[in-house]
């Protein structure tokens, strides 16, 4: 594979089939020599996780202002910024003690009405992740955030092998 770090070997956007029995993914390989017309074998192990359940957690934020701290998952609002489209939308930076893959969804709750907010990015280090969530309008100051996380995760390893692969099409 191209790259030497674990991050280089991570699959970014695998696609599950409709019946969820197979997966399609892309990998980047080092370029073989000019005389190579095919590959005898590509093999490896695919590791995946399956959630046995999902769990909703109210982050316990008293208000939606920069600097607000919640009572769950180490939640803190790092700040807000104007949405990239400059159309009145707004992005919120929310720091959580959570692996980014464990977040299923997030919702804004105002006066008991729950509206899902879209995750548009994240940065993560040492088990702490700063998520960016977007809203079509400015986030209200009074409200709360509820997240749904994957729970009861199981990890599986599946070997795969592809043989006699032509590079000529």
């Amino acid at each position: 594979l191209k790259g030497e770090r674990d991050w280089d070997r991570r699959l970014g956007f695998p696609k599950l089939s409709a019946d969820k029995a197979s997966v399609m993914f892309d990998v980047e390989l080092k370029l073989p020599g000019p005389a190579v017309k095919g590959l005898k074998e590509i093999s490896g192990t695919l590791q995946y996780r399956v959630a046995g359940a999902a769990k909703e957690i109210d982050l316990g934020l008293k208000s939606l202002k920069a600097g607000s701290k919640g009572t769950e998952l180490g939640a803190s609002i790092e700040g807000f910024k104007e949405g990239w489209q400059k159309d009145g939308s707004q992005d919120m930076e929310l720091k959580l003690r959570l692996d980014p893959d464990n977040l299923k969804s997030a919702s804004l709750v105002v006066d008991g009405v729950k509206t899902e907010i879209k995750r548009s990015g994240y940065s993560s280090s040492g088990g702490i992740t700063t998520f960016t969530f977007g809203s079509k309008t400015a986030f209200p100051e009074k409200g709360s955030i509820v997240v749904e996380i994957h729970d009861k995760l199981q990890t599986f390893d599946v070997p795969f092998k592809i043989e006699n692969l032509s590079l000529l099409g």
Side-chain angles (χ1 to χ4, degrees):
L1 292 174
K2 191 174 185 179
E4 301 298 324
R5 302 170 299 172
D6 283 344
W7 180 258
D8 297 326
R9 296 170 180 266
R10 186 175 176 147
L11 301 178
F13 301 99
K15 294 181 182 90
L16 287 175
S17 62
D19 65 359
K20 298 188 183 341
S22 58
V23 64
M24 294 178 289
F25 55 91
D26 295 326
V27 294
E28 288 190 47
L29 301 175
K30 293 178 183 174
L31 191 62
V36 175
K37 293 179 177 49
L39 301 174
K40 180 155 177 70
E41 179 181 300
I42 297 176
S43 62
T45 302
L46 181 66
Q47 185 178 77
Y48 67 96
R49 297 183 311 162
V50 175
K55 177 168 57 172
E56 270 195 1
I57 300 173
D58 185 324
L59 296 178
L61 293 160
K62 301 293 182 209
S63 65
L64 301 181
K65 296 189 292 191
S68 293
K69 301 213 180 294
T71 57
E72 298 294 327
L73 299 176
S76 66
I77 297 177
E78 301 299 294
F80 296 90
K81 60 184 176 187
E82 184 178 10
W84 68 272
Q85 293 180 324
K86 311 263 188 255
D87 60 357
S89 60
Q90 191 177 48
D91 290 338
M92 173 179 58
E93 302 279 322
L94 177 65
K95 187 182 282 187
L96 298 175
R97 195 175 51 252
L98 185 69
D99 183 296
D101 294 333
N102 289 352
L103 181 70
K104 184 174 181 182
S105 68
S107 297
L108 172 66
V109 181
V110 178
D111 296 327
V113 178
K114 189 186 328 183
T115 306
E116 187 169 347
I117 51 177
K118 190 171 267 276
R119 179 171 82 176
S120 58
Y122 70 88
S123 64
S124 188
S125 178
I128 307 260
T129 304
T130 301
F131 294 97
T132 301
F133 292 101
S135 172
K136 292 180 181 179
T137 61
F139 283 89
E141 194 172 304
K142 299 227 182 264
S144 62
I145 304 288
V146 173
V147 294
E148 187 175 13
I149 63 170
H150 298 293
D151 197 23
K152 299 180 182 171
L153 292 169
Q154 292 181 287
T155 302
F156 298 93
D157 292 320
V158 177
F160 69 90
K161 180 167 42 171
I162 302 169
E163 297 179 300
N164 302 319
L165 185 65
S166 171
L167 296 178
L168 302 177

